[in-house]
Amino acid sequence: VKMNTKFNKSKIQNNYIKVLNYLVSKTFRYPMKKFFDDNCGTFEDKLENSHSHYKLHEQFKDIIETLLSVMLSEINISQ
């Protein structure tokens, strides 16, 4: 089966641009800024990580994964 490479390349480029635009949008940045603002006081100038840091890291990962999943589903890209 021969694929139309122009169409595929164009679709990939369009999706790439959509993803980049999303990553700089307020929709993506605001939840991260709020998380940072809400939790910056938790971190101290120490080398060792505490259990609370691990929990915050997990929460941050969940926020990012949710935001990306929603965006990818909106532009019909599977994970």
Side-chain angles (χ1 to χ4, degrees):
V1 176
K2 186 174 181 180
M3 299 177 106
N4 183 344
T5 56
K6 284 186 180 183
F7 172 76
N8 290 334
K9 185 177 180 181
S10 175
K11 185 174 181 178
I12 290 169
Q13 288 173 334
N14 287 338
N15 286 339
Y16 181 74
I17 290 168
K18 288 177 186 178
V19 170
L20 289 178
N21 284 333
Y22 181 74
L23 293 175
V24 297
S25 73
K26 288 181 182 179
T27 303
F28 184 75
R29 290 187 347 225
Y30 177 77
M32 288 190 304
K33 181 180 179 340
K34 181 170 178 7
F35 181 86
F36 296 151
D37 291 346
D38 291 348
N39 296 291
C40 69
T42 304
F43 295 92
E44 301 169 359
D45 195 15
K46 294 182 181 178
L47 292 177
E48 69 271 357
N49 292 324
S50 68
H51 182 67
S52 63
H53 292 167
Y54 175 78
K55 288 174 61 175
L56 286 173
H57 180 256
E58 290 297 313
Q59 291 173 9
F60 183 71
K61 284 184 357 183
D62 290 343
I63 291 169
I64 298 300
E65 287 175 1
T66 300
L67 289 168
L68 291 176
S69 293
V70 168
M71 184 270 309
L72 292 174
S73 68
E74 287 177 0
I75 61 173
N76 296 319
I77 295 177
S78 60
Q79 298 172 347

